[in-house]
Amino acid sequence: MFDLVVIVRVPEPDDVAPVADALARMRPLCLAEDGCVSWEAYQSEADPARFVLVERWASREHWEAHDAGEAIQGIYLPEILPRVEREVHPSAPVRRRDR
């Protein structure tokens, strides 16, 4: 599995609603891609200009192939990326280590 967490901040208040809409439109496209196990976008209730994307892919290769898909090419790059600041974090679940 390849897990990814993306933290997004929208600096301009007028861009928050368009970014939220674009993320909602991305979800079904991402879920339909080969290797997408789950894809969720969350908007902070405390700070509506902050979003967290939590993605799980079957492999890093599947995630890398996702860059060529409609969600990224048709929505993320033209509609979201110009409006946001982001942090991309390949991540792993925290597990208890036995002593």
Side-chain angles (χ1 to χ4, degrees):
M1 285 296 164
F2 180 76
D3 296 319
L4 188 72
V5 175
V6 181
I7 301 165
V8 174
R9 187 177 85 76
V10 182
E12 296 298 325
D14 289 346
D15 287 339
V16 172
V19 167
D21 176 69
L23 288 169
R25 287 185 286 119
M26 280 185 66
R27 186 173 188 274
L29 297 174
C30 292
L31 290 172
E33 290 183 35
D34 185 42
C36 183
V37 176
S38 64
W39 193 99
E40 295 292 340
Y42 297 90
Q43 185 174 20
S44 171
E45 291 181 1
D47 181 358
R50 289 201 183 271
F51 297 85
V52 176
L53 311 178
V54 180
E55 305 177 33
R56 175 164 275 183
W57 295 88
S59 69
R60 185 178 189 106
E61 291 76 23
H62 284 99
W63 172 69
E64 289 172 352
H66 163 65
D67 280 348
E70 177 61 23
I72 296 296
Q73 295 299 317
I75 299 173
Y76 192 79
L77 292 177
E79 296 182 43
I80 296 173
L81 199 55
R83 294 178 159 133
V84 303
E85 298 168 354
R86 69 185 180 136
E87 298 176 31
V88 179
H89 299 275
S91 301
V94 175
R95 303 276 190 240
R96 181 177 172 182
R97 294 181 183 183
D98 290 335
R99 298 175 197 184

